[in-house]
Amino acid sequence: AVVLISGSGPQNRDEELMGHKPFWVIADHFTRNGIAVLRYDDRGVGYSQGDFSTATSADFATDAAAAVQFLKQHPKIRTDKIGLCGHSEGGMIAPLAAAESDEYAFLILMAGPGQNIVDLLLLQSELISKAMGEKEEDIKEGNRVNKKIYEIVAGAGTKVERKKRLKSMLEKEYNKSSAEEQKNYGAFEDWHSGLEAQMFNPWMEYFLAYQPATFLKKVSCPVLAINGENDLQVAPKENLSAIEAALKEGACPDFTIRELKGLNHLFQHSDTGSPTEYGTLKETFAPEVLELMGNWILEQ
């Protein structure tokens, strides 16, 4: 059996987005091939209780672990053959759960992070901005400011101290910017308060401070890590190589790393990989990836 773990943001059990239901498609393929699947609405979504807005990835890892405990009570499930399959942030939540327990038979990380999260976000912003045709100098300037913001939020000190540092840094940036740039920002207080609210919510604070390698090194079951060649959100080369390095250094007994040709972050065949393309593509999930994942699970 396998538990499916969705990506970032409140998702239903189908991981439904932009007219697609990838988890529905994955679950259908797995069950047709003798692999039971448990999908669930994220906390606070659909039929699930709880408050999504106050939860972090660590909380979502306890939700995934609870799903495994639920499966273990099912009379038709082999309790020693239960694994986790996470997409995007779900590919970060799966190692988080597995690092705390040796009860998992396998992990599948679909476009999961391996890089330091600050580096991942900066590269994500650069790649998507390039695909959208933004100017090189604007991309560099945006990332220069974003790097400062992320490092302050993820840095040392109390929340009060970090908020104070953030405001001071933003004031300097605002005051030295051109009239045109200030017009784009809007009034300083509005810009600052919006950024502070965005950066100092529980999920973002935890996310920015998260170090994927720390938890990947503790994984003690087989791992399949896959990513699309055209993924602009979680860059394949940087993240797959970092996942591989952490697994090699850690307790993982067996792992497979695959970069998949022509696929985007949602594992659709794509032209550019841009997020604007997701909803325009008819394909929900590449058939060859379904085959790869299903066959790999059965081999385990």
Side-chain angles (χ1 to χ4, degrees), residues 105-191:
F106 59 86
L107 299 185
I108 297 179
L109 313 180
M110 302 163 51
Q115 273 182 300
N116 169 293
I117 296 299
V118 170
D119 292 338
L120 182 150
L121 288 176
L122 293 172
L123 182 55
Q124 177 187 97
S125 175
E126 179 186 334
L127 293 174
I128 291 174
S129 297
K130 280 181 180 175
M132 302 286 283
E134 290 187 29
K135 293 178 185 174
E136 190 76 33
E137 59 266 30
D138 292 339
I139 296 170
K140 282 184 178 175
E141 177 59 17
N143 265 359
R144 183 187 66 79
V145 176
N146 284 338
K147 188 169 191 279
K148 286 186 175 183
I149 293 170
Y150 297 153
E151 287 176 347
I152 288 170
V153 176
T158 66
K159 188 176 287 197
V160 171
E161 289 167 342
R162 287 179 288 130
K163 282 185 175 182
K164 191 175 177 181
R165 286 205 300 274
L166 179 67
K167 185 171 186 179
S168 173
M169 184 277 287
L170 291 175
E171 274 182 322
K172 287 175 186 170
E173 290 294 336
Y174 191 86
N175 290 335
K176 74 179 186 183
S177 60
S178 67
E180 172 104 14
E181 287 168 332
Q182 288 185 4
K183 188 178 175 185
N184 289 334
Y185 291 138
F188 173 75
E189 285 304 326
D190 293 339
W191 181 54

Coordinates of all heavy atoms in Angstrom, one line a residue, residues 105-191:
A105 N 8.2 0.9 4.2 CA 8.8 0.0 3.2 C 9.5 0.7 2.1 O 10.5 0.1 1.5 CB 7.8 -1.0 2.7
F106 N 9.1 1.9 1.8 CA 9.7 2.6 0.6 C 9.2 4.1 0.6 O 8.2 4.4 1.3 CB 9.4 2.0 -0.7 CG 7.9 1.9 -1.0 CD1 7.2 3.0 -1.6 CD2 7.2 0.8 -0.6 CE1 5.8 2.9 -1.8 CE2 5.8 0.7 -0.9 CZ 5.1 1.7 -1.4
L107 N 10.0 4.9 -0.1 CA 9.5 6.3 -0.3 C 9.7 6.6 -1.8 O 10.6 6.2 -2.4 CB 10.4 7.3 0.4 CG 10.5 7.3 1.9 CD1 11.4 8.5 2.4 CD2 9.2 7.4 2.6
I108 N 8.7 7.3 -2.4 CA 8.8 7.9 -3.7 C 8.8 9.4 -3.5 O 7.8 10.0 -3.0 CB 7.7 7.5 -4.7 CG1 7.8 5.9 -4.9 CG2 7.8 8.2 -6.0 CD1 6.7 5.4 -5.8
L109 N 9.8 10.1 -4.0 CA 9.9 11.6 -4.0 C 9.7 12.1 -5.4 O 10.6 12.0 -6.2 CB 11.3 12.0 -3.4 CG 11.7 11.3 -2.1 CD1 13.1 11.8 -1.7 CD2 10.7 11.4 -1.0
M110 N 8.5 12.7 -5.6 CA 8.2 13.2 -6.9 C 8.5 14.7 -6.9 O 7.7 15.5 -6.3 CB 6.7 13.0 -7.3 CG 6.3 11.5 -7.3 SD 4.5 11.3 -7.2 CE 4.0 12.4 -8.5
A111 N 9.5 15.2 -7.6 CA 9.9 16.6 -7.6 C 10.0 17.1 -6.2 O 9.6 18.2 -5.9 CB 8.9 17.4 -8.4
G112 N 10.7 16.3 -5.3 CA 10.9 16.8 -3.9 C 12.2 17.6 -3.8 O 13.1 17.5 -4.6
P113 N 12.3 18.4 -2.8 CA 13.5 19.3 -2.7 C 14.7 18.5 -2.1 O 14.6 17.7 -1.2 CB 13.0 20.4 -1.7 CG 12.0 19.7 -0.9 CD 11.3 18.7 -1.8
G114 N 15.9 18.8 -2.6 CA 17.1 18.3 -2.1 C 18.0 19.5 -1.7 O 18.8 19.4 -0.8
Q115 N 17.9 20.6 -2.4 CA 18.6 21.8 -2.2 C 18.2 22.5 -0.8 O 17.1 22.3 -0.4 CB 18.3 22.9 -3.2 CG 19.1 22.8 -4.5 CD 18.7 24.0 -5.4 OE1 17.6 24.1 -5.8 NE2 19.6 24.8 -5.7
N116 N 19.1 23.3 -0.3 CA 18.7 24.3 0.7 C 17.5 25.0 0.2 O 17.5 25.5 -1.0 CB 20.0 25.2 0.9 CG 19.7 26.4 1.7 OD1 18.9 27.3 1.3 ND2 20.3 26.5 2.9
I117 N 16.5 25.3 1.0 CA 15.2 25.8 0.5 C 15.4 27.3 0.0 O 14.8 27.6 -1.0 CB 14.2 25.8 1.6 CG1 13.9 24.3 2.0 CG2 12.9 26.5 1.2 CD1 13.3 23.4 0.8
V118 N 16.2 28.1 0.7 CA 16.5 29.4 0.2 C 17.0 29.4 -1.3 O 16.5 30.1 -2.1 CB 17.4 30.2 1.1 CG1 17.8 31.5 0.5 CG2 16.7 30.5 2.4
D119 N 18.0 28.5 -1.5 CA 18.6 28.4 -2.8 C 17.5 27.9 -3.8 O 17.5 28.3 -5.0 CB 19.8 27.4 -2.8 CG 21.0 28.0 -2.0 OD1 21.0 29.2 -1.9 OD2 21.8 27.2 -1.6
L120 N 16.7 26.9 -3.4 CA 15.7 26.4 -4.3 C 14.7 27.5 -4.7 O 14.4 27.6 -5.9 CB 14.9 25.3 -3.5 CG 13.8 24.6 -4.3 CD1 13.7 23.1 -3.8 CD2 12.4 25.2 -4.1
L121 N 14.3 28.3 -3.7 CA 13.3 29.4 -4.1 C 13.9 30.4 -5.0 O 13.2 30.9 -5.9 CB 12.8 30.0 -2.8 CG 11.9 29.2 -1.9 CD1 11.5 29.9 -0.6 CD2 10.6 28.9 -2.7
L122 N 15.1 30.8 -4.8 CA 15.8 31.8 -5.6 C 16.0 31.3 -7.1 O 15.7 32.0 -8.0 CB 17.2 32.2 -5.1 CG 17.1 32.9 -3.7 CD1 18.5 33.1 -3.2 CD2 16.5 34.3 -3.9
L123 N 16.3 30.0 -7.2 CA 16.5 29.4 -8.5 C 15.1 29.2 -9.2 O 15.0 29.5 -10.4 CB 17.2 28.0 -8.4 CG 17.4 27.3 -9.7 CD1 18.2 28.1 -10.7 CD2 18.2 26.0 -9.4
Q124 N 14.1 28.9 -8.4 CA 12.7 28.7 -8.9 C 12.3 30.1 -9.5 O 11.7 30.2 -10.6 CB 11.8 28.3 -7.8 CG 10.3 28.2 -8.1 CD 9.5 28.0 -6.9 OE1 8.9 28.9 -6.3 NE2 9.4 26.8 -6.5
S125 N 12.5 31.1 -8.7 CA 12.1 32.5 -9.2 C 12.8 32.9 -10.5 O 12.2 33.4 -11.4 CB 12.4 33.5 -8.1 OG 12.1 34.8 -8.5
E126 N 14.1 32.6 -10.5 CA 14.9 32.9 -11.7 C 14.4 32.2 -12.9 O 14.2 32.8 -14.0 CB 16.4 32.6 -11.4 CG 17.3 32.8 -12.6 CD 18.7 32.3 -12.4 OE1 19.1 32.2 -11.2 OE2 19.4 32.1 -13.4
L127 N 14.2 30.9 -12.8 CA 13.8 30.0 -14.0 C 12.4 30.4 -14.5 O 12.2 30.5 -15.7 CB 13.8 28.6 -13.6 CG 15.2 28.0 -13.3 CD1 15.1 26.5 -12.8 CD2 16.1 28.0 -14.5
I128 N 11.5 30.6 -13.5 CA 10.1 31.0 -14.0 C 10.1 32.4 -14.6 O 9.4 32.6 -15.6 CB 9.1 30.9 -12.8 CG1 8.9 29.4 -12.4 CG2 7.8 31.5 -13.1 CD1 8.1 29.2 -11.1
S129 N 10.8 33.3 -14.0 CA 10.9 34.7 -14.5 C 11.4 34.7 -15.9 O 11.0 35.4 -16.8 CB 11.7 35.6 -13.6 OG 11.1 35.7 -12.3
K130 N 12.5 33.9 -16.2 CA 13.1 33.8 -17.5 C 12.1 33.2 -18.5 O 11.9 33.7 -19.6 CB 14.3 32.9 -17.5 CG 15.6 33.6 -17.0 CD 16.8 32.6 -17.0 CE 18.0 33.3 -16.5 NZ 19.2 32.4 -16.4
A131 N 11.3 32.2 -18.1 CA 10.3 31.6 -19.0 C 9.2 32.6 -19.3 O 8.6 32.5 -20.4 CB 9.7 30.3 -18.3
M132 N 9.0 33.5 -18.4 CA 7.9 34.5 -18.6 C 8.4 35.7 -19.4 O 7.7 36.7 -19.6 CB 7.4 35.0 -17.2 CG 6.8 33.9 -16.3 SD 5.3 33.3 -16.8 CE 4.2 34.6 -16.3
G133 N 9.7 35.7 -19.7 CA 10.3 36.8 -20.5 C 10.7 38.0 -19.8 O 10.9 39.1 -20.4
E134 N 10.9 37.9 -18.5 CA 11.4 39.1 -17.7 C 12.9 39.4 -18.0 O 13.6 38.5 -18.4 CB 11.2 38.8 -16.2 CG 9.7 38.8 -15.8 CD 9.6 38.7 -14.3 OE1 10.4 39.2 -13.6 OE2 8.5 38.2 -13.9
K135 N 13.2 40.7 -17.8 CA 14.6 41.1 -18.1 C 15.6 40.6 -17.1 O 15.2 40.4 -15.9 CB 14.7 42.6 -18.1 CG 13.9 43.3 -19.2 CD 14.0 44.8 -19.0 CE 13.1 45.6 -20.0 NZ 13.1 47.0 -19.8
E136 N 16.8 40.2 -17.6 CA 17.8 39.6 -16.7 C 18.1 40.5 -15.5 O 18.2 40.0 -14.4 CB 19.1 39.4 -17.6 CG 20.2 38.6 -16.9 CD 19.8 37.1 -16.9 OE1 19.2 36.6 -17.8 OE2 20.2 36.5 -15.9
E137 N 18.2 41.8 -15.7 CA 18.6 42.7 -14.6 C 17.5 42.8 -13.6 O 17.7 42.9 -12.4 CB 19.0 44.1 -15.1 CG 17.9 44.9 -15.9 CD 18.0 44.7 -17.4 OE1 18.5 43.6 -17.8 OE2 17.6 45.6 -18.1
D138 N 16.2 42.7 -14.0 CA 15.1 42.7 -13.1 C 15.0 41.4 -12.3 O 14.7 41.5 -11.1 CB 13.8 42.9 -13.9 CG 13.6 44.2 -14.5 OD1 14.3 45.2 -14.1 OD2 12.8 44.4 -15.5
I139 N 15.4 40.3 -12.9 CA 15.4 39.0 -12.2 C 16.5 39.1 -11.1 O 16.2 38.7 -10.0 CB 15.6 37.9 -13.2 CG1 14.5 37.8 -14.2 CG2 15.8 36.6 -12.4 CD1 14.7 36.8 -15.3
K140 N 17.7 39.6 -11.5 CA 18.8 39.6 -10.5 C 18.5 40.5 -9.4 O 18.8 40.2 -8.2 CB 20.1 40.1 -11.2 CG 20.7 39.0 -12.1 CD 22.0 39.5 -12.7 CE 22.7 38.4 -13.5 NZ 23.9 38.9 -14.2
E141 N 17.8 41.7 -9.7 CA 17.5 42.6 -8.6 C 16.5 42.0 -7.7 O 16.5 42.1 -6.4 CB 17.0 43.9 -9.2 CG 16.5 45.0 -8.2 CD 17.6 45.4 -7.3 OE1 18.8 45.2 -7.5 OE2 17.3 46.0 -6.2
G142 N 15.4 41.4 -8.2 CA 14.4 40.8 -7.4 C 15.0 39.7 -6.5 O 14.6 39.6 -5.3
N143 N 15.9 38.9 -7.0 CA 16.5 37.8 -6.2 C 17.4 38.3 -5.2 O 17.6 37.7 -4.1 CB 17.1 36.8 -7.1 CG 16.2 35.6 -7.4 OD1 15.1 35.6 -7.0 ND2 16.7 34.7 -8.2
R144 N 18.1 39.5 -5.5 CA 19.0 40.1 -4.5 C 18.2 40.5 -3.2 O 18.6 40.1 -2.1 CB 19.6 41.3 -5.1 CG 20.6 42.0 -4.1 CD 21.1 43.3 -4.7 NE 20.1 44.3 -4.8 CZ 19.7 45.0 -3.8 NH1 20.2 44.9 -2.6 NH2 18.7 45.9 -3.9
V145 N 17.0 41.1 -3.4 CA 16.2 41.5 -2.3 C 15.6 40.3 -1.6 O 15.5 40.2 -0.4 CB 15.1 42.5 -2.8 CG1 14.1 42.8 -1.6 CG2 15.7 43.7 -3.4
N146 N 15.1 39.3 -2.4 CA 14.4 38.1 -1.9 C 15.4 37.3 -1.0 O 15.0 36.8 0.0 CB 13.9 37.2 -3.0 CG 12.6 37.7 -3.6 OD1 11.9 38.5 -2.9 ND2 12.3 37.4 -4.8
K147 N 16.7 37.3 -1.5 CA 17.7 36.5 -0.7 C 17.9 37.1 0.7 O 17.9 36.4 1.7 CB 19.0 36.5 -1.4 CG 20.1 35.6 -0.8 CD 21.3 35.5 -1.8 CE 22.2 34.4 -1.3 NZ 23.2 34.8 -0.3
K148 N 17.9 38.5 0.7 CA 18.0 39.1 2.0 C 16.8 38.8 2.9 O 16.9 38.6 4.1 CB 18.1 40.7 1.8 CG 19.5 41.1 1.3 CD 19.5 42.7 1.3 CE 20.8 43.2 0.9 NZ 20.9 44.7 0.9
I149 N 15.6 38.9 2.3 CA 14.4 38.6 3.1 C 14.4 37.2 3.6 O 14.2 37.0 4.8 CB 13.1 38.8 2.2 CG1 13.0 40.3 1.8 CG2 11.9 38.3 2.9 CD1 11.9 40.5 0.7
Y150 N 14.7 36.2 2.8 CA 14.7 34.8 3.2 C 15.7 34.6 4.3 O 15.4 33.8 5.3 CB 15.0 33.9 2.0 CG 14.0 33.9 0.9 CD1 14.4 33.6 -0.4 CD2 12.7 34.2 1.1 CE1 13.5 33.6 -1.5 CE2 11.8 34.3 0.0 CZ 12.2 33.9 -1.2 OH 11.3 33.9 -2.3
E151 N 16.9 35.1 4.2 CA 18.0 34.9 5.1 C 17.6 35.5 6.5 O 18.0 35.0 7.5 CB 19.3 35.4 4.6 CG 19.8 34.5 3.5 CD 21.1 35.0 2.9 OE1 21.5 36.1 3.1 OE2 21.7 34.2 2.1
I152 N 16.9 36.6 6.5 CA 16.5 37.2 7.8 C 15.5 36.4 8.4 O 15.5 36.1 9.6 CB 16.0 38.7 7.5 CG1 17.1 39.6 7.2 CG2 15.2 39.2 8.8 CD1 16.7 41.0 6.7
V153 N 14.5 35.9 7.7 CA 13.4 35.1 8.2 C 13.9 33.8 8.8 O 13.5 33.3 9.8 CB 12.3 34.9 7.2 CG1 11.2 34.0 7.7 CG2 11.7 36.2 6.7
A154 N 14.8 33.2 8.0 CA 15.4 31.9 8.4 C 16.5 32.0 9.4 O 17.1 31.0 9.8 CB 15.8 31.1 7.2
G155 N 16.9 33.2 9.7 CA 18.1 33.5 10.5 C 17.9 33.3 12.0 O 16.9 32.9 12.5
A156 N 19.0 33.7 12.7 CA 19.0 33.5 14.2 C 18.1 34.7 14.8 O 17.8 35.7 14.2 CB 20.4 33.6 14.7
G157 N 17.8 34.5 16.1 CA 17.1 35.5 16.9 C 15.6 35.2 17.1 O 15.1 34.3 16.4
T158 N 15.0 36.0 18.0 CA 13.6 35.8 18.2 C 12.8 36.4 17.0 O 13.3 37.1 16.2 CB 13.2 36.6 19.5 OG1 13.3 38.0 19.2 CG2 14.0 36.1 20.7
K159 N 11.5 36.1 17.0 CA 10.7 36.6 15.9 C 10.6 38.1 15.9 O 10.7 38.8 14.9 CB 9.2 36.0 16.0 CG 8.4 36.3 14.9 CD 7.0 35.7 15.0 CE 7.1 34.2 14.7 NZ 5.7 33.7 14.3
V160 N 10.6 38.7 17.1 CA 10.6 40.2 17.3 C 11.8 40.7 16.7 O 11.8 41.7 15.9 CB 10.4 40.6 18.7 CG1 10.7 42.1 18.9 CG2 9.1 40.2 19.3
E161 N 13.0 40.1 17.0 CA 14.3 40.6 16.4 C 14.3 40.5 14.9 O 14.8 41.4 14.2 CB 15.4 39.8 17.1 CG 15.7 40.2 18.5 CD 16.6 39.2 19.2 OE1 16.8 38.1 18.7 OE2 17.1 39.5 20.3
R162 N 13.9 39.3 14.4 CA 13.9 39.1 13.0 C 13.0 40.1 12.2 O 13.3 40.6 11.1 CB 13.6 37.7 12.6 CG 14.8 36.7 13.0 CD 14.5 35.3 12.7 NE 13.6 34.7 13.7 CZ 12.5 34.0 13.3 NH1 12.2 33.8 12.1 NH2 11.7 33.5 14.3
K163 N 11.8 40.3 12.8 CA 10.9 41.3 12.2 C 11.5 42.7 12.2 O 11.3 43.4 11.2 CB 9.5 41.3 13.0 CG 8.6 40.1 12.7 CD 7.3 40.3 13.4 CE 6.3 39.2 13.0 NZ 5.0 39.3 13.7
K164 N 12.2 43.0 13.2 CA 12.8 44.3 13.3 C 13.9 44.5 12.2 O 14.0 45.5 11.5 CB 13.4 44.5 14.7 CG 13.9 46.0 15.0 CD 14.4 46.1 16.4 CE 14.9 47.5 16.7 NZ 15.4 47.6 18.0
R165 N 14.7 43.4 12.0 CA 15.7 43.4 11.0 C 15.1 43.5 9.6 O 15.6 44.2 8.7 CB 16.6 42.1 11.1 CG 17.6 42.2 12.3 CD 18.8 41.3 12.1 NE 18.4 39.9 11.9 CZ 18.2 39.0 12.9 NH1 18.4 39.4 14.1 NH2 17.9 37.7 12.6
L166 N 14.0 42.8 9.4 CA 13.3 42.8 8.1 C 12.8 44.2 7.8 O 13.1 44.7 6.7 CB 12.2 41.8 8.1 CG 11.4 41.8 6.8 CD1 12.2 41.2 5.7 CD2 10.1 41.0 6.9
K167 N 12.2 44.9 8.7 CA 11.7 46.2 8.5 C 12.8 47.2 8.2 O 12.7 48.0 7.2 CB 10.9 46.7 9.7 CG 10.2 48.1 9.4 CD 9.3 48.5 10.5 CE 8.5 49.7 10.1 NZ 7.6 50.2 11.2
S168 N 13.9 47.1 8.9 CA 15.1 48.0 8.7 C 15.6 47.8 7.3 O 15.9 48.7 6.6 CB 16.1 47.7 9.8 OG 17.3 48.4 9.5
M169 N 15.8 46.5 6.9 CA 16.3 46.2 5.6 C 15.4 46.7 4.5 O 15.8 47.3 3.5 CB 16.5 44.7 5.5 CG 17.2 44.2 4.1 SD 16.1 44.1 2.7 CE 15.2 42.6 3.2
L170 N 14.1 46.5 4.6 CA 13.1 46.9 3.6 C 13.1 48.4 3.5 O 12.9 49.0 2.4 CB 11.7 46.3 3.9 CG 11.6 44.8 3.8 CD1 10.2 44.4 4.3 CD2 11.8 44.4 2.4
E171 N 13.2 49.1 4.6 CA 13.2 50.6 4.6 C 14.4 51.1 3.8 O 14.3 52.0 2.9 CB 13.3 51.2 6.0 CG 12.0 51.3 6.7 CD 12.1 51.9 8.1 OE1 13.1 51.6 8.8 OE2 11.2 52.7 8.4
K172 N 15.6 50.5 4.0 CA 16.8 50.9 3.2 C 16.6 50.6 1.7 O 16.9 51.5 0.9 CB 18.0 50.1 3.7 CG 18.5 50.6 5.0 CD 19.6 49.7 5.5 CE 20.1 50.1 6.9 NZ 21.0 49.1 7.5
E173 N 16.0 49.5 1.4 CA 15.7 49.1 0.0 C 14.7 50.1 -0.7 O 14.9 50.5 -1.8 CB 15.2 47.7 -0.2 CG 16.3 46.6 0.2 CD 17.4 46.6 -0.8 OE1 17.2 47.0 -2.0 OE2 18.5 46.1 -0.5
Y174 N 13.7 50.4 0.1 CA 12.6 51.3 -0.4 C 13.2 52.7 -0.6 O 12.9 53.3 -1.7 CB 11.5 51.3 0.6 CG 10.2 52.0 0.1 CD1 9.3 51.2 -0.6 CD2 10.0 53.3 0.3 CE1 8.1 51.8 -1.1 CE2 8.8 53.9 -0.1 CZ 7.9 53.2 -0.8 OH 6.7 53.8 -1.3
N175 N 14.0 53.2 0.3 CA 14.4 54.6 0.2 C 15.4 54.8 -0.9 O 15.6 55.9 -1.4 CB 15.1 55.0 1.6 CG 14.0 55.1 2.6 OD1 12.9 55.4 2.3 ND2 14.4 55.0 3.9
K176 N 16.2 53.7 -1.3 CA 17.2 53.9 -2.4 C 16.6 53.5 -3.7 O 17.3 53.7 -4.7 CB 18.4 53.1 -2.1 CG 18.3 51.6 -2.2 CD 19.6 50.9 -1.9 CE 19.5 49.4 -2.2 NZ 20.8 48.7 -1.9
S177 N 15.3 53.1 -3.7 CA 14.7 52.7 -5.0 C 14.2 53.9 -5.7 O 14.0 55.0 -5.1 CB 13.6 51.7 -4.8 OG 12.6 52.2 -4.0
S178 N 14.0 53.8 -7.1 CA 13.5 54.9 -7.9 C 12.0 55.2 -7.6 O 11.3 54.4 -7.0 CB 13.7 54.6 -9.4 OG 12.9 53.5 -9.7
A179 N 11.6 56.3 -8.1 CA 10.2 56.7 -7.9 C 9.3 55.7 -8.6 O 8.2 55.3 -8.1 CB 9.9 58.1 -8.5
E180 N 9.7 55.2 -9.7 CA 9.0 54.2 -10.5 C 8.9 52.9 -9.7 O 7.8 52.3 -9.6 CB 9.7 53.9 -11.8 CG 9.1 52.8 -12.6 CD 8.3 53.2 -13.8 OE1 8.3 54.4 -14.2 OE2 7.6 52.4 -14.3
E181 N 10.0 52.5 -9.1 CA 10.0 51.3 -8.3 C 9.1 51.4 -7.1 O 8.3 50.5 -6.7 CB 11.4 50.9 -7.9 CG 12.2 50.4 -9.0 CD 13.7 50.3 -8.7 OE1 14.2 51.1 -7.8 OE2 14.4 49.4 -9.2
Q182 N 9.2 52.6 -6.4 CA 8.3 52.8 -5.2 C 6.8 52.8 -5.6 O 6.0 52.4 -4.8 CB 8.7 54.2 -4.6 CG 10.0 54.2 -3.9 CD 10.4 55.4 -3.2 OE1 9.5 56.4 -3.1 NE2 11.5 55.5 -2.6
K183 N 6.5 53.3 -6.8 CA 5.2 53.3 -7.3 C 4.7 51.8 -7.4 O 3.5 51.5 -7.1 CB 5.1 54.0 -8.6 CG 3.6 54.2 -9.1 CD 3.6 54.9 -10.4 CE 2.2 55.0 -11.0 NZ 2.2 55.7 -12.3
N184 N 5.6 50.9 -7.9 CA 5.2 49.5 -8.0 C 5.1 48.8 -6.7 O 4.2 48.0 -6.5 CB 6.3 48.8 -8.8 CG 6.3 49.1 -10.3 OD1 5.3 49.5 -10.8 ND2 7.5 49.0 -10.9
Y185 N 5.9 49.2 -5.7 CA 5.8 48.7 -4.3 C 4.5 49.2 -3.7 O 3.9 48.4 -2.9 CB 7.0 49.2 -3.5 CG 8.3 48.5 -3.8 CD1 9.5 49.3 -3.8 CD2 8.4 47.2 -4.1 CE1 10.7 48.8 -4.1 CE2 9.7 46.6 -4.5 CZ 10.8 47.4 -4.4 OH 12.0 46.9 -4.8
G186 N 4.1 50.4 -4.0 CA 3.0 51.0 -3.2 C 3.6 51.7 -2.0 O 4.8 51.9 -1.8
A187 N 2.7 52.1 -1.1 CA 3.1 52.8 0.2 C 4.0 51.8 1.0 O 3.7 50.6 1.0 CB 1.9 53.2 1.0
F188 N 5.1 52.3 1.6 CA 6.0 51.5 2.3 C 5.3 50.6 3.3 O 5.6 49.4 3.4 CB 7.1 52.3 3.0 CG 8.0 51.4 3.8 CD1 8.9 50.6 3.3 CD2 7.8 51.4 5.2 CE1 9.7 49.7 4.1 CE2 8.6 50.6 6.0 CZ 9.6 49.7 5.4
E189 N 4.4 51.2 4.2 CA 3.8 50.5 5.3 C 3.0 49.3 4.7 O 3.0 48.2 5.3 CB 2.9 51.4 6.1 CG 3.7 52.3 7.0 CD 4.6 51.5 8.0 OE1 4.3 50.4 8.4 OE2 5.7 52.0 8.3
D190 N 2.3 49.5 3.6 CA 1.5 48.4 3.0 C 2.4 47.3 2.5 O 2.2 46.1 2.6 CB 0.7 49.0 1.8 CG -0.4 49.9 2.3 OD1 -0.8 49.8 3.5 OD2 -0.9 50.7 1.5
W191 N 3.5 47.7 1.8 CA 4.5 46.7 1.3 C 5.1 45.9 2.4 O 5.2 44.7 2.3 CB 5.6 47.5 0.4 CG 6.6 46.6 -0.2 CD1 6.4 45.6 -1.0 CD2 8.0 46.8 -0.1 NE1 7.6 45.0 -1.4 CE2 8.6 45.7 -0.9 CE3 8.9 47.6 0.6 CZ2 10.0 45.6 -1.0 CZ3 10.2 47.5 0.5 CH2 10.8 46.5 -0.3

